[in-house]
Amino acid sequence: QVRLAESGGGLVQAGTSLRLSCAASGHRSSDYVMGWFRQAPGKEREFVAGISRSGTSTIYADSVLGRFTISRDDVKNTAFLQMNSLNPEDTAVYYCAAGTRPLSARGYYYDYWGQGTQVTVSS
């Protein structure tokens, strides 16, 4: 079983960037598809980005396409989410997830979840 720990969240101004990290422990991250999800206050959790085991395939939500980039470094057992051109609508708790099913935007494809990291974007 893999354990996930997110870091890198914080309070930033609109238009700036932030890089989230997801450290995996207890198992090799290379065995898992990795994903990022987010949940804003009063809203349902939504998919943000996902990356295949090999790192060669990525998928994004339309709302972040062109602004966010997901990547992975399996030597470090870590996945990343580079977030550029942030706006207040990106304010949410961001969760890292890992799964053994094929790459997907569906939350139920992911078996393991981190505790989340808060990202707040001020206008």
Side-chain angles (χ1 to χ4, degrees), residues 70-121:
I70 188 171
S71 62
R72 64 190 302 156
D73 182 343
D74 291 321
V75 173
K76 297 181 179 180
N77 262 9
T78 303
F80 304 96
L81 184 68
Q82 177 67 43
M83 306 186 294
N84 299 330
S85 302
L86 286 162
N87 59 63
E89 289 70 38
D90 295 317
T91 295
V93 177
Y94 283 71
Y95 297 91
C96 176
T100 56
R101 297 176 180 86
L103 180 60
S104 173
R106 299 179 176 88
Y108 61 84
Y109 269 53
Y110 297 83
D111 306 299
Y112 306 102
W113 296 80
Q115 293 299 307
T117 185
Q118 176 71 47
V119 172
T120 303
V121 184

Side-chain angles (χ1 to χ4, degrees), residues 12-32:
V12 297
Q13 291 188 330
T16 61
S17 300
L18 208 56
R19 188 194 197 201
L20 304 184
S21 298
C22 172
S25 61
H27 207 281
R28 297 175 304 182
S29 61
S30 57
D31 288 340
Y32 298 95

Side-chain angles (χ1 to χ4, degrees), residues 26-49:
H27 207 281
R28 297 175 304 182
S29 61
S30 57
D31 288 340
Y32 298 95
V33 167
M34 302 295 292
W36 287 94
F37 291 75
R38 68 186 182 186
Q39 187 167 19
K43 296 186 177 181
E44 294 187 353
R45 183 185 65 193
E46 65 174 357
F47 171 77
V48 176

